[in-house]
Amino acid sequence: MATGRTHRPATRSRGIPEATVARLPLYLRALTALSERSVPTVSSEELAAAAGVNSAKLRKDFSYLGSYGTRGVGYDVEYLVYQISRELGLTQDWPVVIVGIGNLGAALANYGGFASRGFRVAALIDADPAMAGKPVAGIAVQHTDELEKIIDDNGVSIGVIATPAGAAQQVCDRLVAAGVTSILNFAPTVLTVPDGVDVRKVDLSIELQILAFHEQRKAGEEAAQDAAQAGATAPAAAPAPAGPERSLTDAAAGPAPVVAVTDVRENQGPDGDVPAVMPA
């Protein structure tokens, strides 16, 4: 089986847009679920719904792969799994190193989805000497002093950074200098890398903040709707009696005063209050 150092994915050379590349894993996940249920074919509408995109966008994305499906039949599930896996480079072995074996790094090491998707955790690396030799997910942790040798020995081209923010850039620089050309960054900081190095950032706090924004907006919309409904159901105020319907007491008191109609903005008090009645 080829390793990551000798083969690179063909997506960019084929001119597939980055937005399409970002959606290919979504299609692959949906197709893999169908394959596990022994579903032979799937329509663009069904697959688009499972992947969370619209069917027109899916058909456009698949056209970049040279896959157009069959009218009245749909797409062959197994063939699409192969096509997308090949395009993403998942038909070859990708050795990965994880640097920073704290709680997050250990959780990543124990994640079972790497192996099933073409990624092999080649090494776990940490700066704490006390961690050296300790097994995590069946792999002995190695010290960062060995980082360059580990990368060279295993032909690693993908590195995962799960260190604190303050150490992330230094680790990144060492990974790049050792030959790593793709980095998945879990550290809460922005990394600076040279041209030719790809970085994907995963920041859980940012994702939570975005969700908080949407929750706040939904709460505001619900409050506005409640206020509108309350206004619609409130009883209307009784109209003031017209001139001919004045009471006998009012008539005895003499003619009604004349009220001047003016622009209320011209009669605001010093605090912006508007008098209820402005006599002529």
Side-chain angles (χ1 to χ4, degrees):
M1 176 177 288
T3 62
R5 280 294 181 83
T6 57
H7 290 79
R8 301 287 290 176
T11 52
R12 292 185 178 179
S13 62
R14 289 168 61 100
I16 299 179
E18 288 293 334
T20 296
V21 174
R23 287 188 290 270
L24 291 181
L26 304 179
Y27 302 140
L28 182 58
R29 180 173 58 190
L31 287 163
T32 300
L34 292 171
S35 176
E36 290 172 350
R37 287 159 35 205
S38 300
V39 176
T41 59
V42 62
S43 69
S44 59
E45 289 78 10
E46 292 169 334
L47 183 54
V53 303
N54 65 65
S55 58
K57 184 174 294 184
L58 177 143
R59 288 191 291 269
K60 180 67 173 177
D61 289 342
F62 284 179
S63 71
Y64 291 110
L65 306 180
S67 184
Y68 297 92
T70 304
R71 184 178 295 278
V73 177
Y75 294 94
D76 183 284
V77 170
E78 292 299 332
Y79 181 61
L80 264 185
V81 167
Y82 167 75
Q83 268 192 309
I84 296 176
S85 296
R86 181 189 61 186
E87 207 62 53
L88 289 173
L90 303 182
T91 56
Q92 54 192 290
D93 177 48
W94 293 102
V96 174
V97 296
I98 301 176
V99 184
I101 314 302
N103 291 333
L104 178 57
L108 293 171
N110 279 284
Y111 173 57
F114 285 134
S116 63
R117 289 166 174 81
F119 301 95
R120 173 175 56 86
V121 178
L124 304 177
I125 304 172
D126 197 274
D128 184 0
M131 288 290 295
K134 288 188 175 180
V136 175
I139 303 173
V141 176
Q142 300 180 68
H143 192 265
T144 49
D145 289 347
E146 305 294 322
L147 186 147
E148 287 79 8
K149 184 177 185 300
I150 292 168
I151 291 172
D152 186 61
D153 289 348
N154 291 276
V156 174
S157 58
I158 299 177
V160 178
I161 297 178
T163 66
Q169 185 62 58
Q170 182 182 7
V171 169
C172 174
D173 293 342
R174 289 184 63 185
L175 288 173
V176 171
V180 169
T181 51
S182 292
I183 294 173
L184 181 60
N185 178 33
F186 284 89
T189 187
V190 176
L191 299 177
T192 302
V193 297
D195 291 340
V197 176
D198 296 308
V199 176
R200 298 287 296 180
K201 179 173 175 52
V202 181
D203 193 322
L204 301 180
S205 65
I206 288 179
E207 299 303 322
L208 286 171
Q209 288 168 22
I210 292 172
L211 290 176
F213 164 80
H214 289 297
E215 285 301 312
Q216 178 176 258
R217 186 184 63 180
K218 285 184 286 188
E221 291 173 350
E222 290 173 358
Q225 290 174 356
D226 292 343
Q229 291 174 356
T233 57
E245 297 179 2
R246 294 171 64 213
S247 68
L248 293 175
T249 304
D250 292 337
V258 177
V259 178
V261 178
T262 61
D263 187 339
V264 295
R265 291 172 296 180
E266 296 176 359
N267 296 291
Q268 293 179 347
D271 297 324
D273 298 327
V274 180
V277 176
M278 292 297 297

